[in-house]
Amino acid sequence: MNLNMLLSGYAAIITLAWVCASIYLLVNCRKVQFLKDMSPNLNMVEPRVAIIVAVKDEEAELEEALISVCQLDYKNLRIIVVNDRSTDRTPEILQKIAQENPVITVITIEELPKGWLGKSHALYQGYKASAEEWLLFTDADVIFGRQALKKAMHYVTEHQLDHLAVLPEITSRSALFKAMMSTFSMMLEFRQRPWDIRNPASKASIGIGAFNLVRRSAYEKAGTHTAFSLRPDDDLKLGERIKAAGLRPDVLYGEKEVSLEWYTSLNEFVNGLMKNTFSISNYHLPTAIGMALATFLVFVLPMPFLLLSGGYNFILALVMLTSQIFLMLFKPGIHGKWWHALMIPFAGAVIVYILLKSAFITIKQGGIYWRDSFYPLAELKKQR
């Protein structure tokens, strides 16, 4: 088999793969419902909920986010904010908001114990300070709609769930970052298969840092944050362990009910993911290289190769691009634009860069720096 045959085979296979993958995502993502479409049961007896927010140096977004939490239309609610060694104006902002909202309890952490990442430790301390039946773990930059929690609790009660994750609506002032997020969200959902999470026969799972609503008994059965205290991807691990424990999870899209500006620019996105992406491959270099190679062959190479090789491959390029445009325009949960399809090779290249550089930096320095603390690689590998 000569090189031309190999390249022709690759061109045909990758085009067919993109068409099939686009149809697969368009069909299956429509199985995931929207939180905004849930009708809250106004006569429902509201279960007790503790909203636990881990905070560290969040002065920019904290006040707006916490006010949205305080304005939730839910009576049986307690808000526990865990201030994890903040050095900016966060303590002053918390004091002001807590004085105006008695429902808020502020816990201050002065030192981080050995064997913990700061966020996981903060969330765990919030759990220890609570007694409520349900726990909502969230971040300090998340904006909630007034009915978000009531709708979520109606949904988990109606479906007898143990865990509900909500994929937040990602807002950004950067058009380039929005285009990047369209591809990144597609990658995440293809990997996590949110439409299959409620299926007990499937291994699909998900956890979302912005909205992890979990029954207290389920959280304890999953091992609490102590089971993955050194994992930067603690939200995904929580979802994974809940599913592995045989409990009942589900996921919804959070458009118009749960939102955040994750990063303000592409540069922030790259730097933010650089410190923890190696954990997705369980700190295993061959796995990270394999993920980078697969991303290159599927996302980066196809369109430039088909366009540059010309001839019959130009038609394949049009077929692939058409399927990608349909995916961006009609896939639920991403708010894609048609031109976001043109950015797929660039977005894929950024992910390849992050995967490889994150692995290289982590191995070179022998661990990761997380919130001003260093964690040796040997210790991190113990929690795969």
Side-chain angles (χ1 to χ4, degrees):
M1 184 179 293
N2 59 36
L3 181 60
N4 286 335
M5 291 181 65
L6 281 173
L7 293 176
S8 297
Y10 168 73
I13 291 171
I14 197 63
T15 302
L16 179 62
W18 263 106
V19 171
C20 292
S22 297
I23 296 172
Y24 176 76
L25 283 173
L26 285 171
V27 170
N28 282 293
C29 286
R30 295 191 177 278
K31 299 176 183 177
V32 180
Q33 299 183 70
F34 285 81
L35 180 61
K36 66 182 176 66
D37 293 335
M38 301 299 110
S39 298
N41 183 354
L42 300 179
N43 298 318
M44 178 184 71
V45 177
E46 297 180 348
R48 296 170 63 209
V49 179
I51 299 181
I52 301 174
V53 189
V55 176
K56 180 171 172 56
D57 298 334
E58 304 279 1
E59 64 180 9
E61 298 92 5
L62 178 60
E63 186 164 6
E64 181 183 5
L66 268 187
I67 288 174
S68 77
V69 176
C70 294
Q71 292 177 345
L72 284 168
D73 182 15
Y74 198 89
K75 296 178 181 177
N76 214 352
L77 174 67
R78 183 182 175 207
I79 303 168
I80 302 173
V81 183
V82 186
N83 176 23
D84 180 25
R85 301 164 294 147
S86 293
T87 57
D88 62 359
R89 292 185 54 254
T90 292
E92 290 84 349
I93 295 172
L94 287 178
Q95 184 180 17
K96 172 180 176 290
I97 298 177
Q99 287 175 346
E100 298 170 352
N101 299 273
V103 73
I104 292 181
T105 299
V106 177
I107 299 172
T108 301
I109 295 175
E110 302 291 349
E111 295 183 5
L112 180 64
K114 182 178 174 57
W116 284 91
L117 291 181
K119 181 184 175 183
S120 290
H121 178 253
L123 294 176
Y124 180 67
Q125 293 305 311
Y127 149 74
K128 289 178 63 178
S130 70
E132 284 72 13
E133 178 187 357
W134 285 88
L135 309 169
L136 173 55
F137 296 111
T138 186
D139 294 329
D141 54 356
V142 179
I143 307 297
F144 291 88
R146 282 182 54 84
Q147 295 286 314
L149 184 57
K150 183 170 286 189
K151 291 179 178 181
M153 290 306 303
H154 170 68
Y155 187 78
V156 299
T157 302
E158 183 180 39
H159 295 273
Q160 299 181 324
L161 300 178
D162 297 300
H163 173 231
L164 177 66
V166 174
L167 290 158
E169 179 180 357
I170 303 298
T171 63
S172 179
R173 63 198 77 177
S174 167
L176 182 60
F177 176 69
K178 288 180 181 178
M180 176 75 200
M181 274 305 303
S182 293
T183 299
F184 182 76
S185 298
M186 181 177 62
M187 290 179 175
L188 175 67
E189 293 187 37
F190 202 89
R191 181 178 186 267
Q192 302 299 136
R193 308 192 313 279
W195 53 85
D196 219 15
I197 284 169
R198 67 175 69 91
N199 180 4
S202 169
K203 292 184 179 180
S205 67
I206 198 167
I208 302 297
F211 196 107
N212 264 330
L213 178 64
V214 58
R215 195 187 300 270
R216 187 181 197 86
S217 58
Y219 176 65
E220 292 169 348
K221 187 175 181 180
T224 75
H225 278 82
T226 59
F228 41 90
S229 59
L230 288 171
R231 293 288 306 203
D233 54 347
D234 61 287
D235 51 354
L236 291 174
K237 279 297 173 182
L238 177 59
E240 183 181 305
R241 291 186 66 90
I242 285 173
K243 188 63 178 286
L247 299 166
R248 293 174 58 85
D250 205 350
V251 62
L252 299 172
Y253 288 124
E255 177 184 325
K256 295 184 179 179
E257 293 289 355
V258 181
S259 66
L260 75 152
E261 185 174 24
W262 194 18
Y263 293 104
T264 60
S265 67
L266 181 60
N267 187 55
E268 278 191 13
F269 172 80
V270 172
N271 292 333
L273 264 64
M274 196 69 69
K275 62 182 180 291
N276 63 1
T277 300
F278 195 27
S279 66
I280 297 174
S281 59
N282 287 320
Y283 304 105
H284 186 240
L285 182 59
T287 300
I289 293 174
M291 292 171 65
L293 179 61
T295 303
F296 177 78
L297 292 175
V298 175
F299 291 90
V300 182
L301 182 60
M303 190 58 67
F305 167 71
L306 293 176
L307 290 175
L308 293 174
S309 54
Y312 175 72
N313 285 347
F314 186 79
I315 298 176
L316 293 180
L318 291 178
V319 172
M320 181 186 296
L321 181 59
T322 300
S323 71
Q324 292 172 342
I325 289 174
F326 268 83
L327 186 58
M328 291 299 177
L329 288 177
F330 299 111
K331 182 198 167 299
I334 62 172
H335 293 287
K337 308 292 185 182
W338 72 267
W339 61 270
H340 288 183
L342 301 177
M343 300 297 293
I344 288 176
F346 171 75
V350 172
I351 297 299
V352 169
Y353 172 74
I354 292 172
L355 284 166
L356 294 178
K357 188 167 182 181
S358 176
F360 173 77
I361 291 175
T362 303
I363 292 172
K364 181 181 178 182
Q365 63 192 16
I368 65 171
Y369 285 95
W370 187 272
R371 298 284 191 171
D372 303 323
S373 299
F374 180 75
Y375 300 88
L377 190 55
E379 191 175 356
L380 295 170
K381 286 183 176 181
K382 294 177 182 178
Q383 293 186 353
R384 294 189 179 187

